[in-house]
Amino acid sequence: VIDLNVSPNQIVISSNGIVEGVSLDDGEQVWVYEGVQKNTIPSATLTDKLILVGSSEKPSSIALPKNQKGLISKDQIKWTAEDATSSMSSPLLAGENVYYVNRAGVVSCNDIKTGKKLWDYRLPSSCWATPVAVDGLVYFFCKEGSAVVLRNDREEPVEVYSNKLDIKGPVYGVAIVDNSIVMRTGSRLFALIN
């Protein structure tokens, strides 16, 4: 993930036990946090002030401060996500909510300020693709083709729509482009057009 809102501009990498910022100018490490476990798949998610780290181990789904230098200590962690993991997909920030999807397909909605869990919701299966948020809705594309749309709500999970897509292979990634949902599966790239 590239962060152009800090100086120097950085690539933020979350993998194999560390999260680090590397300067785009010279490739030198600007900062590092070394206390993460099982963060090999999800990318970090950037907010104005935080770096959200997804991990398949509960104590390692954390929020780190941005604009740091050198070694970040455990004392500098802003919060640990309460009872939430992010196995394949990266954490998603939507308004004041952070969404994590665990290996079993359980969505955890947590508060961006505290990491406190607001609610859980079970999807038909896990998500390899990071969910996307548009116009107050959060779209989850499960690895076996189920699509579930939830309202971005702090009080409770509200399902707005669900469907099973006729696809072959897992859904690896999605993006919203010009009123279309572009999806990458095991062997295809296609768009769902509104």
Side-chain angles (χ1 to χ4, degrees), residues 79-167:
W79 49 259
T80 300
E82 180 185 1
D83 199 29
T85 62
S86 197
S87 298
M88 306 288 183
S89 59
S90 300
L92 171 71
L93 175 65
E96 296 296 312
N97 299 334
V98 181
Y99 292 90
Y100 300 88
V101 183
N102 73 14
R103 165 173 296 131
V106 175
V107 176
S108 295
C109 177
N110 294 59
D111 181 78
I112 185 62
K113 293 177 184 165
T114 64
K116 181 179 187 239
K117 182 190 286 191
L118 302 172
W119 50 260
D120 282 334
Y121 180 85
R122 181 170 292 281
L123 297 169
S125 71
S126 186
C127 291
W128 289 7
T130 298
V132 292
V134 178
D135 295 334
L137 301 174
V138 182
Y139 294 74
F140 298 89
F141 295 91
C142 301
K143 79 175 200 180
E144 41 60 75
S146 294
V148 177
V149 181
L150 299 179
R151 189 171 66 210
N152 183 27
D153 192 300
R154 295 178 62 77
E155 302 302 318
E156 63 183 352
V158 177
E159 184 178 304
V160 176
Y161 180 79
S162 66
N163 196 357
K164 177 80 164 76
L165 304 171
D166 185 21
I167 61 170

Coordinates of all heavy atoms in Angstrom, one line a residue, residues 79-167:
W79 N -4.9 0.6 19.3 CA -5.9 -0.4 19.8 C -5.7 -1.7 19.2 O -5.1 -1.8 18.1 CB -7.3 0.1 19.7 CG -7.8 0.6 18.4 CD1 -8.0 1.9 18.0 CD2 -8.2 -0.1 17.2 NE1 -8.4 2.1 16.7 CE2 -8.5 0.8 16.2 CE3 -8.2 -1.5 16.9 CZ2 -9.0 0.4 14.9 CZ3 -8.6 -1.8 15.6 CH2 -9.0 -0.9 14.7
T80 N -6.3 -2.7 19.8 CA -6.3 -4.1 19.2 C -7.8 -4.4 18.9 O -8.7 -4.1 19.8 CB -5.8 -5.1 20.2 OG1 -4.4 -4.8 20.5 CG2 -5.9 -6.5 19.7
A81 N -8.1 -4.9 17.7 CA -9.5 -5.1 17.4 C -10.0 -6.2 18.3 O -9.5 -7.3 18.4 CB -9.5 -5.6 15.9
E82 N -11.2 -5.9 18.9 CA -11.8 -6.8 19.8 C -12.4 -8.0 19.0 O -13.3 -7.8 18.2 CB -12.9 -6.1 20.6 CG -13.6 -7.0 21.6 CD -14.8 -6.4 22.3 OE1 -15.1 -5.2 22.0 OE2 -15.4 -7.0 23.1
D83 N -11.9 -9.2 19.3 CA -12.4 -10.5 18.8 C -12.6 -10.4 17.3 O -13.6 -10.8 16.7 CB -13.7 -10.8 19.5 CG -14.1 -12.2 19.3 OD1 -13.2 -13.1 19.2 OD2 -15.4 -12.5 19.3
A84 N -11.6 -9.9 16.5 CA -11.7 -9.8 15.1 C -10.4 -10.3 14.4 O -9.3 -10.0 14.9 CB -12.0 -8.4 14.6
T85 N -10.5 -11.0 13.3 CA -9.3 -11.4 12.5 C -9.6 -11.2 11.1 O -10.8 -11.0 10.7 CB -9.0 -12.9 12.7 OG1 -10.0 -13.7 12.3 CG2 -8.6 -13.2 14.2
S86 N -8.6 -11.1 10.3 CA -8.7 -10.8 8.9 C -7.8 -11.8 8.2 O -6.6 -11.6 8.1 CB -8.3 -9.4 8.6 OG -8.7 -9.0 7.3
S87 N -8.3 -13.0 7.8 CA -7.5 -14.0 7.3 C -6.9 -13.8 5.9 O -5.8 -14.0 5.7 CB -8.3 -15.4 7.3 OG -8.6 -15.7 8.7
M88 N -7.8 -13.5 5.0 CA -7.4 -13.3 3.6 C -7.5 -11.9 3.1 O -6.6 -11.3 2.5 CB -8.2 -14.2 2.6 CG -8.2 -15.7 3.0 SD -6.6 -16.4 2.7 CE -7.0 -18.1 3.1
S89 N -8.7 -11.3 3.3 CA -9.0 -9.9 2.9 C -8.4 -8.9 3.9 O -8.2 -9.2 5.0 CB -10.5 -9.7 2.8 OG -11.2 -9.9 4.0
S90 N -8.1 -7.8 3.4 CA -7.6 -6.7 4.2 C -8.8 -6.0 5.0 O -9.9 -6.1 4.6 CB -6.9 -5.6 3.3 OG -5.9 -6.2 2.6
P91 N -8.4 -5.4 6.1 CA -9.5 -4.6 6.8 C -10.0 -3.5 5.9 O -9.3 -3.0 5.1 CB -8.7 -4.0 8.0 CG -7.5 -4.8 8.2 CD -7.2 -5.3 6.8
L92 N -11.3 -3.3 6.1 CA -12.0 -2.2 5.3 C -12.5 -1.1 6.2 O -13.2 -1.4 7.2 CB -13.2 -2.8 4.5 CG -14.1 -1.7 3.8 CD1 -13.3 -1.1 2.6 CD2 -15.4 -2.3 3.4
L93 N -12.1 0.1 5.9 CA -12.7 1.3 6.7 C -13.9 1.8 5.9 O -13.8 2.1 4.7 CB -11.6 2.3 6.8 CG -12.1 3.6 7.5 CD1 -12.5 3.4 8.9 CD2 -11.0 4.7 7.4
A94 N -15.0 1.9 6.6 CA -16.2 2.5 6.0 C -16.8 3.5 7.0 O -17.4 3.0 8.0 CB -17.2 1.5 5.5
G95 N -16.7 4.7 6.8 CA -17.1 5.7 7.8 C -16.4 5.5 9.1 O -15.1 5.5 9.2
E96 N -17.1 5.2 10.2 CA -16.5 5.0 11.5 C -16.3 3.6 11.9 O -16.0 3.2 13.0 CB -17.3 5.7 12.6 CG -17.4 7.2 12.5 CD -16.0 7.9 12.7 OE1 -15.3 7.6 13.7 OE2 -15.6 8.7 11.8
N97 N -16.6 2.7 10.9 CA -16.5 1.2 11.1 C -15.3 0.6 10.4 O -15.0 1.0 9.3 CB -17.8 0.6 10.6 CG -19.0 1.1 11.3 OD1 -19.0 1.5 12.4 ND2 -20.2 1.0 10.6
V98 N -14.8 -0.4 11.0 CA -13.7 -1.2 10.4 C -14.3 -2.6 10.2 O -14.8 -3.2 11.2 CB -12.4 -1.3 11.2 CG1 -11.4 -2.1 10.5 CG2 -11.9 0.1 11.4
Y99 N -14.2 -3.2 9.0 CA -14.7 -4.6 8.8 C -13.6 -5.5 8.6 O -12.7 -5.3 7.8 CB -15.6 -4.6 7.5 CG -16.9 -3.8 7.7 CD1 -17.0 -2.4 7.4 CD2 -18.0 -4.4 8.2 CE1 -18.1 -1.7 7.6 CE2 -19.2 -3.7 8.4 CZ -19.3 -2.3 8.1 OH -20.4 -1.6 8.3
Y100 N -13.7 -6.7 9.3 CA -12.8 -7.8 9.2 C -13.6 -9.0 8.8 O -14.7 -9.2 9.3 CB -12.1 -8.1 10.5 CG -11.3 -6.9 11.1 CD1 -11.9 -6.0 11.9 CD2 -9.9 -6.8 10.9 CE1 -11.1 -4.9 12.5 CE2 -9.2 -5.8 11.4 CZ -9.8 -4.8 12.2 OH -9.1 -3.8 12.7
V101 N -13.0 -9.9 8.0 CA -13.7 -11.2 7.7 C -12.7 -12.3 8.0 O -11.6 -12.3 7.5 CB -14.0 -11.3 6.2 CG1 -14.8 -12.6 5.9 CG2 -14.9 -10.1 5.7
N102 N -13.1 -13.2 8.9 CA -12.2 -14.3 9.3 C -12.3 -15.4 8.3 O -13.1 -15.4 7.4 CB -12.5 -14.7 10.8 CG -13.8 -15.4 11.0 OD1 -14.4 -15.9 10.0 ND2 -14.2 -15.6 12.2
R103 N -11.5 -16.4 8.6 CA -11.4 -17.6 7.8 C -12.7 -18.4 7.6 O -12.9 -19.0 6.6 CB -10.3 -18.5 8.4 CG -10.2 -19.9 8.0 CD -9.0 -20.6 8.6 NE -7.8 -20.0 8.1 CZ -6.8 -19.6 8.8 NH1 -6.8 -19.7 10.1 NH2 -5.7 -19.0 8.3
A104 N -13.6 -18.3 8.6 CA -14.9 -19.0 8.5 C -15.9 -18.2 7.9 O -17.1 -18.7 7.7 CB -15.3 -19.4 9.9
G105 N -15.6 -16.9 7.5 CA -16.6 -16.1 6.8 C -17.5 -15.3 7.8 O -18.5 -14.8 7.5
V106 N -16.9 -15.0 9.0 CA -17.6 -14.2 9.9 C -17.1 -12.8 9.8 O -15.9 -12.5 9.9 CB -17.5 -14.7 11.4 CG1 -18.1 -13.7 12.4 CG2 -18.1 -16.1 11.5
V107 N -18.0 -11.8 9.5 CA -17.7 -10.4 9.5 C -17.7 -9.8 10.9 O -18.7 -10.1 11.6 CB -18.7 -9.6 8.6 CG1 -18.4 -8.1 8.6 CG2 -18.7 -10.2 7.2
S108 N -16.7 -9.1 11.3 CA -16.7 -8.4 12.5 C -16.7 -6.9 12.1 O -15.8 -6.5 11.4 CB -15.5 -8.7 13.4 OG -15.5 -10.1 13.8
C109 N -17.6 -6.2 12.7 CA -17.6 -4.7 12.5 C -17.1 -4.1 13.8 O -17.7 -4.3 14.9 CB -19.1 -4.3 12.2 SG -19.2 -2.5 12.1
N110 N -16.1 -3.3 13.7 CA -15.4 -2.7 14.9 C -15.4 -1.2 14.8 O -15.3 -0.7 13.7 CB -14.0 -3.3 15.1 CG -14.0 -4.8 15.4 OD1 -14.5 -5.6 14.7 ND2 -13.5 -5.1 16.6
D111 N -15.3 -0.6 15.9 CA -15.2 0.9 15.9 C -13.8 1.4 15.6 O -12.8 0.9 16.1 CB -15.6 1.4 17.3 CG -15.6 2.9 17.5 OD1 -16.5 3.5 17.0 OD2 -14.6 3.4 18.0
I112 N -13.7 2.4 14.7 CA -12.4 2.9 14.2 C -11.7 3.6 15.4 O -10.4 3.6 15.4 CB -12.5 3.8 13.0 CG1 -11.2 4.2 12.5 CG2 -13.4 5.0 13.3 CD1 -10.3 3.1 12.0
K113 N -12.4 4.2 16.3 CA -11.7 4.9 17.4 C -11.1 4.1 18.5 O -10.1 4.4 19.1 CB -12.6 6.0 18.0 CG -13.0 7.1 17.0 CD -14.0 8.0 17.6 CE -14.4 9.0 16.5 NZ -15.6 9.8 16.9
T114 N -11.8 2.9 18.8 CA -11.4 2.1 19.9 C -11.1 0.6 19.6 O -10.5 0.0 20.4 CB -12.6 2.1 20.9 OG1 -13.7 1.4 20.3 CG2 -13.0 3.5 21.4
G115 N -11.5 0.2 18.4 CA -11.3 -1.3 18.1 C -12.4 -2.1 18.7 O -12.4 -3.4 18.5
K116 N -13.3 -1.6 19.5 CA -14.4 -2.3 20.1 C -15.3 -2.9 19.1 O -15.7 -2.3 18.1 CB -15.2 -1.4 21.1 CG -16.3 -2.1 21.8 CD -17.0 -1.2 22.7 CE -17.9 -2.0 23.5 NZ -19.2 -1.9 23.6
K117 N -15.6 -4.2 19.3 CA -16.6 -4.9 18.4 C -18.0 -4.4 18.6 O -18.5 -4.2 19.7 CB -16.6 -6.4 18.7 CG -17.5 -7.1 17.7 CD -17.8 -8.6 18.0 CE -16.5 -9.3 17.7 NZ -16.8 -10.8 17.8
L118 N -18.6 -4.1 17.4 CA -20.0 -3.6 17.4 C -20.9 -4.7 17.1 O -22.0 -4.8 17.7 CB -20.1 -2.5 16.3 CG -19.2 -1.3 16.5 CD1 -19.3 -0.3 15.3 CD2 -19.5 -0.6 17.8
W119 N -20.6 -5.6 16.2 CA -21.4 -6.8 15.9 C -20.7 -7.8 15.0 O -19.6 -7.4 14.4 CB -22.8 -6.4 15.3 CG -22.7 -5.4 14.1 CD1 -22.9 -4.1 14.1 CD2 -22.4 -5.7 12.7 NE1 -22.8 -3.5 12.9 CE2 -22.5 -4.5 12.0 CE3 -22.1 -6.9 12.0 CZ2 -22.2 -4.4 10.6 CZ3 -21.8 -6.8 10.7 CH2 -21.9 -5.6 10.0
D120 N -21.2 -9.0 14.9 CA -20.8 -10.0 13.9 C -21.9 -10.4 13.0 O -23.0 -10.3 13.3 CB -20.4 -11.3 14.7 CG -19.0 -11.2 15.4 OD1 -18.2 -10.4 14.9 OD2 -18.8 -11.9 16.4
Y121 N -21.5 -11.0 11.8 CA -22.4 -11.5 10.8 C -21.8 -12.6 10.1 O -20.6 -12.5 9.6 CB -22.8 -10.3 9.9 CG -23.8 -10.7 8.8 CD1 -25.2 -10.7 9.1 CD2 -23.4 -11.1 7.6 CE1 -26.1 -11.1 8.1 CE2 -24.3 -11.5 6.6 CZ -25.6 -11.5 6.9 OH -26.5 -11.8 5.9
R122 N -22.5 -13.7 9.9 CA -21.9 -14.9 9.2 C -22.3 -14.8 7.7 O -23.4 -14.8 7.3 CB -22.4 -16.2 9.8 CG -21.8 -17.4 9.0 CD -22.0 -18.7 9.7 NE -21.3 -18.8 11.0 CZ -20.0 -19.1 11.1 NH1 -19.3 -19.3 10.0 NH2 -19.5 -19.3 12.3
L123 N -21.2 -14.8 6.9 CA -21.4 -14.9 5.4 C -21.5 -16.3 5.0 O -21.1 -17.2 5.8 CB -20.2 -14.2 4.7 CG -20.0 -12.7 5.0 CD1 -18.6 -12.3 4.5 CD2 -21.1 -11.9 4.3
P124 N -21.9 -16.6 3.7 CA -21.9 -18.0 3.3 C -20.6 -18.7 3.3 O -20.5 -19.9 3.4 CB -22.5 -17.9 1.8 CG -23.2 -16.6 1.8 CD -22.5 -15.7 2.8
S125 N -19.5 -18.0 3.1 CA -18.1 -18.5 3.2 C -17.2 -17.4 3.4 O -17.5 -16.2 3.5 CB -17.8 -19.3 1.9 OG -17.6 -18.5 0.8
S126 N -15.9 -17.7 3.4 CA -14.9 -16.7 3.6 C -14.7 -15.8 2.4 O -15.1 -16.1 1.3 CB -13.5 -17.4 3.9 OG -12.5 -16.4 4.3
C127 N -14.1 -14.7 2.6 CA -13.8 -13.7 1.5 C -12.3 -13.7 1.3 O -11.5 -13.4 2.2 CB -14.2 -12.3 1.9 SG -16.0 -12.1 1.9
W128 N -11.9 -14.0 0.1 CA -10.5 -13.8 -0.3 C -10.3 -12.4 -0.8 O -9.2 -11.8 -0.6 CB -10.0 -14.8 -1.3 CG -9.9 -16.2 -0.8 CD1 -10.2 -16.6 0.5 CD2 -9.4 -17.3 -1.5 NE1 -10.0 -18.0 0.6 CE2 -9.4 -18.4 -0.6 CE3 -8.8 -17.5 -2.7 CZ2 -9.0 -19.7 -0.9 CZ3 -8.4 -18.8 -3.1 CH2 -8.5 -19.8 -2.2
A129 N -11.3 -11.8 -1.4 CA -11.3 -10.4 -1.9 C -11.6 -9.5 -0.7 O -12.5 -9.8 0.1 CB -12.3 -10.3 -3.0
T130 N -11.0 -8.4 -0.7 CA -11.3 -7.4 0.3 C -12.6 -6.8 0.0 O -12.9 -6.5 -1.2 CB -10.2 -6.3 0.3 OG1 -8.9 -6.9 0.7 CG2 -10.5 -5.2 1.3
P131 N -13.5 -6.6 1.0 CA -14.8 -6.0 0.7 C -14.6 -4.6 0.2 O -13.6 -4.0 0.4 CB -15.6 -6.1 2.0 CG -14.5 -6.4 3.1 CD -13.4 -7.0 2.4
V132 N -15.7 -4.0 -0.4 CA -15.7 -2.6 -0.8 C -16.9 -1.9 -0.3 O -17.9 -2.5 -0.1 CB -15.6 -2.5 -2.4 CG1 -14.3 -3.0 -2.9 CG2 -16.8 -3.3 -3.0
A133 N -16.7 -0.6 -0.1 CA -17.8 0.2 0.5 C -18.2 1.3 -0.5 O -17.3 2.0 -1.0 CB -17.4 0.8 1.8
V134 N -19.5 1.5 -0.8 CA -20.0 2.5 -1.7 C -21.3 2.9 -1.3 O -22.2 2.1 -1.0 CB -20.1 1.9 -3.2 CG1 -20.6 3.0 -4.1 CG2 -18.7 1.4 -3.7
D135 N -21.5 4.2 -1.2 CA -22.8 4.8 -0.9 C -23.5 4.2 0.3 O -24.7 3.9 0.3 CB -23.7 4.8 -2.1 CG -23.2 5.6 -3.3 OD1 -22.5 6.6 -3.0 OD2 -23.5 5.3 -4.4
G136 N -22.8 4.0 1.4 CA -23.4 3.5 2.6 C -23.6 2.0 2.7 O -24.3 1.5 3.6
L137 N -23.1 1.3 1.7 CA -23.3 -0.1 1.6 C -21.9 -0.8 1.6 O -20.9 -0.2 1.1 CB -24.0 -0.5 0.3 CG -25.4 0.0 0.2 CD1 -26.0 -0.3 -1.2 CD2 -26.3 -0.5 1.3
V138 N -21.8 -2.0 2.1 CA -20.6 -2.8 2.1 C -20.8 -4.1 1.3 O -21.7 -4.8 1.7 CB -20.1 -3.1 3.5 CG1 -18.7 -3.8 3.5 CG2 -19.9 -1.8 4.3
Y139 N -20.0 -4.3 0.3 CA -20.1 -5.4 -0.6 C -19.1 -6.5 -0.2 O -17.9 -6.2 -0.2 CB -19.9 -5.0 -2.0 CG -21.0 -4.1 -2.6 CD1 -21.0 -2.7 -2.2 CD2 -21.9 -4.5 -3.5 CE1 -21.9 -1.8 -2.7 CE2 -22.9 -3.6 -4.0 CZ -22.9 -2.3 -3.6 OH -23.8 -1.5 -4.0
F140 N -19.6 -7.7 0.0 CA -18.7 -8.8 0.3 C -18.9 -9.9 -0.8 O -20.0 -10.3 -1.1 CB -19.1 -9.5 1.7 CG -19.0 -8.6 2.8 CD1 -20.0 -7.8 3.2 CD2 -17.8 -8.5 3.6 CE1 -19.9 -6.9 4.3 CE2 -17.7 -7.7 4.7 CZ -18.7 -6.9 5.0
F141 N -17.8 -10.3 -1.4 CA -17.8 -11.3 -2.4 C -17.0 -12.5 -1.9 O -15.8 -12.5 -1.7 CB -17.1 -10.8 -3.7 CG -17.9 -9.6 -4.3 CD1 -17.7 -8.3 -4.0 CD2 -19.0 -9.9 -5.2 CE1 -18.4 -7.3 -4.5 CE2 -19.7 -8.9 -5.7 CZ -19.5 -7.6 -5.4
C142 N -17.8 -13.5 -1.6 CA -17.2 -14.7 -1.0 C -16.5 -15.6 -2.0 O -16.7 -15.5 -3.2 CB -18.3 -15.6 -0.3 SG -19.2 -14.7 1.0
K143 N -15.6 -16.4 -1.5 CA -14.7 -17.1 -2.4 C -15.4 -18.0 -3.4 O -15.0 -18.3 -4.5 CB -13.5 -17.8 -1.7 CG -13.9 -19.1 -1.0 CD -12.7 -19.7 -0.4 CE -12.9 -21.2 -0.3 NZ -11.9 -21.9 0.3
E144 N -16.6 -18.6 -3.0 CA -17.3 -19.5 -3.8 C -18.4 -18.8 -4.7 O -19.2 -19.5 -5.3 CB -17.9 -20.6 -3.0 CG -18.5 -20.3 -1.6 CD -19.7 -19.3 -1.7 OE1 -20.8 -19.7 -2.0 OE2 -19.5 -18.2 -1.3
G145 N -18.4 -17.5 -4.7 CA -19.3 -16.8 -5.6 C -20.5 -16.1 -4.9 O -21.2 -15.4 -5.6
S146 N -20.7 -16.3 -3.7 CA -21.8 -15.6 -3.0 C -21.5 -14.1 -2.9 O -20.3 -13.8 -2.6 CB -22.1 -16.2 -1.6 OG -22.6 -17.5 -1.7
A147 N -22.5 -13.3 -3.1 CA -22.3 -11.8 -2.9 C -23.3 -11.4 -1.9 O -24.5 -11.7 -2.0 CB -22.5 -11.1 -4.3
V148 N -22.9 -10.7 -0.9 CA -23.7 -10.2 0.2 C -23.5 -8.7 0.3 O -22.3 -8.3 0.4 CB -23.4 -10.9 1.5 CG1 -24.3 -10.4 2.6 CG2 -23.7 -12.4 1.4
V149 N -24.5 -7.9 0.4 CA -24.4 -6.5 0.6 C -25.1 -6.1 1.9 O -26.2 -6.5 2.2 CB -25.1 -5.7 -0.5 CG1 -25.0 -4.2 -0.3 CG2 -24.6 -6.1 -1.9
L150 N -24.3 -5.5 2.8 CA -24.8 -5.1 4.1 C -24.8 -3.5 4.2 O -24.0 -2.9 3.5 CB -23.9 -5.6 5.2 CG -23.7 -7.1 5.4 CD1 -22.8 -7.4 6.6 CD2 -25.1 -7.8 5.6
R151 N -25.7 -3.0 4.9 CA -25.7 -1.6 5.2 C -24.6 -1.3 6.1 O -24.4 -2.0 7.1 CB -27.1 -1.1 5.7 CG -27.2 0.4 5.8 CD -28.6 0.8 6.2 NE -28.9 0.4 7.5 CZ -30.1 0.1 8.0 NH1 -31.2 0.1 7.2 NH2 -30.3 -0.3 9.2
N152 N -23.9 -0.2 5.9 CA -22.8 0.2 6.8 C -23.5 0.8 8.1 O -23.8 2.0 8.1 CB -21.9 1.3 6.1 CG -20.8 1.7 7.0 OD1 -20.3 0.9 7.9 ND2 -20.3 2.9 6.8
D153 N -23.7 0.0 9.1 CA -24.5 0.3 10.2 C -23.7 0.0 11.5 O -23.1 -1.1 11.6 CB -25.8 -0.5 10.2 CG -26.8 -0.1 11.2 OD1 -26.6 -0.1 12.4 OD2 -27.9 0.3 10.7
R154 N -23.8 0.9 12.5 CA -23.1 0.6 13.7 C -23.9 -0.2 14.7 O -23.3 -0.8 15.6 CB -22.7 1.9 14.3 CG -21.7 2.7 13.5 CD -21.3 4.0 14.1 NE -20.6 4.0 15.4 CZ -19.4 3.6 15.6 NH1 -18.6 3.3 14.6 NH2 -18.9 3.6 16.8
E155 N -25.2 -0.2 14.6 CA -26.0 -0.9 15.5 C -26.2 -2.4 15.3 O -26.2 -3.1 16.3 CB -27.4 -0.2 15.5 CG -27.4 1.3 15.8 CD -26.8 1.6 17.1 OE1 -27.1 0.9 18.1 OE2 -26.0 2.6 17.1
E156 N -26.3 -2.8 14.1 CA -26.6 -4.2 13.8 C -26.3 -4.5 12.3 O -26.4 -3.6 11.5 CB -28.0 -4.6 14.1 CG -29.0 -3.8 13.3 CD -30.5 -4.1 13.6 OE1 -30.7 -5.1 14.5 OE2 -31.4 -3.5 13.1
P157 N -26.1 -5.7 12.0 CA -25.9 -6.1 10.6 C -27.3 -6.1 9.8 O -28.2 -6.7 10.3 CB -25.3 -7.5 10.6 CG -25.6 -8.0 11.9 CD -25.8 -6.9 12.8
V158 N -27.3 -5.3 8.8 CA -28.6 -5.3 8.0 C -28.3 -5.7 6.6 O -27.6 -5.0 5.8 CB -29.2 -3.9 8.0 CG1 -30.5 -3.8 7.1 CG2 -29.5 -3.4 9.4
E159 N -28.8 -6.9 6.2 CA -28.5 -7.4 4.8 C -29.5 -6.7 3.9 O -30.7 -6.8 4.0 CB -28.7 -8.9 4.8 CG -28.4 -9.5 3.4 CD -28.5 -11.0 3.4 OE1 -27.9 -11.7 4.2 OE2 -29.3 -11.5 2.5
V160 N -28.9 -6.1 2.8 CA -29.7 -5.4 1.8 C -29.9 -6.3 0.6 O -31.0 -6.2 0.0 CB -28.9 -4.1 1.4 CG1 -29.7 -3.4 0.3 CG2 -28.7 -3.2 2.6
Y161 N -29.0 -7.2 0.3 CA -29.0 -8.0 -0.9 C -28.1 -9.2 -0.7 O -27.0 -9.0 -0.1 CB -28.7 -7.1 -2.1 CG -28.7 -7.9 -3.4 CD1 -29.9 -8.1 -4.1 CD2 -27.5 -8.4 -4.0 CE1 -30.0 -8.7 -5.3 CE2 -27.6 -9.0 -5.2 CZ -28.8 -9.2 -5.8 OH -28.9 -9.9 -7.0
S162 N -28.5 -10.3 -1.3 CA -27.5 -11.4 -1.5 C -27.9 -12.2 -2.7 O -29.0 -12.2 -3.2 CB -27.6 -12.3 -0.2 OG -28.8 -13.0 -0.2
N163 N -26.9 -12.8 -3.3 CA -27.0 -13.5 -4.5 C -25.9 -14.5 -4.7 O -24.8 -14.4 -4.0 CB -27.0 -12.6 -5.7 CG -27.5 -13.2 -7.0 OD1 -27.9 -14.4 -7.1 ND2 -27.6 -12.4 -8.0
K164 N -26.0 -15.5 -5.5 CA -24.9 -16.5 -5.8 C -24.6 -16.2 -7.3 O -25.4 -16.4 -8.2 CB -25.4 -17.9 -5.6 CG -24.4 -19.0 -6.0 CD -23.4 -19.1 -4.8 CE -22.6 -20.4 -5.0 NZ -21.5 -20.4 -5.9
L165 N -23.3 -15.8 -7.5 CA -22.8 -15.6 -8.9 C -22.4 -16.9 -9.5 O -21.9 -17.8 -8.8 CB -21.6 -14.7 -8.8 CG -21.9 -13.3 -8.2 CD1 -20.6 -12.5 -8.0 CD2 -22.9 -12.5 -9.0
D166 N -22.7 -17.1 -10.8 CA -22.3 -18.3 -11.5 C -20.9 -18.1 -12.0 O -20.7 -17.7 -13.1 CB -23.3 -18.5 -12.6 CG -23.0 -19.9 -13.3 OD1 -22.3 -20.7 -12.7 OD2 -23.4 -20.0 -14.5
I167 N -19.9 -18.4 -11.2 CA -18.5 -18.3 -11.5 C -17.7 -19.6 -11.3 O -18.2 -20.4 -10.5 CB -17.8 -17.1 -10.7 CG1 -17.9 -17.4 -9.2 CG2 -18.5 -15.8 -11.1 CD1 -17.1 -16.5 -8.4

